[in-house]
Amino acid sequence: MSAESPAAPGQFAHRRQQFRAWRGTRPFWAGLFVMISGVPIMYFPYAHIKLGGLTVAMATTAGAGSLIIGVLLVVLGITLWFQKHVRTFAGIAAILLALVSLPVSNFGGFIVGFLFALFGGAMAVAWAPGLPPAEEPARQDTTGEGGAPEATDYDTTLLRPVNPVGEPNDLSGTSPVNGANGRHSAG
């Protein structure tokens, strides 16, 4: 193998290109943000943090509500990935769940989950599918006799006259020749 020969793309490069193509056709980052937002919202009410010998429990009376909100946010994030046509519904639902998480689950997972859900929901609502790539027009066959390409010498080609015979040269629309009688036709 020489330095000039291109290397064949490996399996990793091929899978990465497939993932990038898949990611580009859906609100990927919105779904990821919404999924990430569910984790702190459902984790903190059940967490027991140890500071030295002291255990700090952040359990609230609405621990089940926090779990439900967190699970719903994760499900909405997955829905954004695999059902891109419901992006508006999922985005609005994520924003509403983020707002509900403020009083229910430790200020929305200590504001972290709230912000991720808010931005992810807004990104989902704002996302619009891209236009499919336009097909390039087919190239015309420019082969001459015997399969050799035709040569075009632009310096020696004959130029057509600018104005065909019999048409006026006035483009302003004020010439009496074209019936405008000196007036503009602006309304």
Side-chain angles (χ1 to χ4, degrees):
M1 180 186 256
S2 68
E4 288 82 23
S5 65
Q11 185 70 13
F12 178 75
H14 179 67
R15 293 290 180 199
R16 192 174 124 253
Q17 288 174 349
Q18 281 182 333
F19 174 71
R20 289 181 70 184
W22 176 82
R23 186 184 72 193
T25 61
R26 60 201 71 245
F28 176 79
W29 293 107
L32 184 66
F33 277 24
V34 171
M35 276 193 285
I36 289 172
S37 73
V39 174
I41 289 175
M42 68 179 152
Y43 173 74
F44 286 129
Y46 294 103
H48 297 286
I49 299 172
K50 294 193 177 209
L51 300 172
L54 182 65
T55 301
V56 179
M58 310 218 213
T60 62
T61 57
S66 298
L67 184 64
I68 290 171
I69 290 171
V71 168
L72 283 174
L73 284 170
V74 170
V75 168
L76 284 173
I78 293 171
T79 301
L80 283 170
W81 278 3
F82 295 106
Q83 300 291 327
K84 61 185 173 185
H85 59 278
V86 296
R87 65 178 171 77
T88 305
F89 167 76
I92 291 173
I95 291 170
L96 291 175
L97 284 172
L99 292 172
V100 169
S101 74
L102 282 173
V104 171
S105 64
N106 294 330
F107 296 109
F110 294 117
I111 305 296
V112 173
F114 167 73
L115 289 177
F116 270 110
L118 202 63
F119 287 129
M123 287 169 52
V125 171
W127 183 82
L131 298 174
E135 293 184 19
E136 294 182 17
R139 294 184 181 184
Q140 295 182 3
D141 188 24
T142 59
T143 56
E145 295 180 18
E150 288 183 1
T152 304
D153 188 4
Y154 294 105
D155 293 335
T156 60
T157 56
L158 294 175
L159 298 175
R160 290 178 283 166
V162 175
N163 291 328
V165 177
E167 288 188 22
N169 194 17
D170 182 31
L171 299 177
S172 67
T174 59
S175 174
V177 176
N178 60 12
N181 202 13
R183 292 177 281 138
H184 292 287
S185 59

